[in-house]
Amino acid sequence: AQSVAQPEDQVNVAEGNPLTVKCTYSVSGNPYLFWYVQYPNRGLQFLLKYITGDNLVKGSYGFEAEFNKSQTSFHLKKPSALVSDSALYFCAVRDPLADKLIFGTGTRLQVFP
Amino acid sequence: DARVTQTPRHKVTEMGQEVTMRCQPILGHNTVFWYRQTMMQGLELLAYFRNRAPLDDSGMPKDRFSAEMPDATLATLKIQPSEPRDSAVYFCASGLERAGSNEQFFGPGTRLTVL
């Protein structure tokens, strides 16, 4: 069965430092992978996706993610964190047999001034 | 600026009452999803539609929940009767299914409180 795991419930980082939010996946076939962000009292917003091609995917707000097939990972990264990046981040994988996305449990990112 | 809209944004009701939540997907999108988010369970997929046909509602308690798409511009999620454990934020999302592209656009959610 398809699944994603976000091993960290929370990530704390100082403003200006690089950040990484981890995600690993388990899927049969080629993975379609996504990152979404949720700000307080808002719906999820799409950040970026990996379908095929370059392993480094660039997305909104300066975020990028690196697809690593051998490690079955799709970690979200940003070179320099902003306080405004503080939010809940979800990794997701597409179910290859259906339209639906399978979401991870979410990681709360806290960026301190 | 196309967006998914949901009404109401907030709903407080008493146990046993019927609750209807509405969603207007982005025009032209052919898939619609209903999710429920709670602190304990996280984000759960309740049901989804493609071209207005229900494809999967296995995440939904069948005895009290129902989801429909009366037309391409409206999706509804109904709870009857409601229970306190249904208190959650319910999100609708829509997307345009095409090969490799499953980006979903989420609405702002309906925050339901059942007393």
Side-chain angles (χ1 to χ4, degrees), chain A residues 36 38 51 94 98-100, chain B residues 37 48 50 56 100 102 104:
Chain A
Y36 283 79
Q38 184 180 28
I51 304 298
R94 177 186 174 179
D99 303 323
K100 61 185 180 181
Chain B
Q37 186 176 37
Y48 80 97
R50 186 201 292 172
D56 185 352
N102 263 96
Q104 294 181 18

Side-chain angles (χ1 to χ4, degrees), chain B residues 11 21 37 44 64 110 115:
Chain B
K11 177 71 176 180
M21 290 169 272
Q37 186 176 37
E44 304 172 275
R64 298 184 300 107
T110 294
L115 303 174

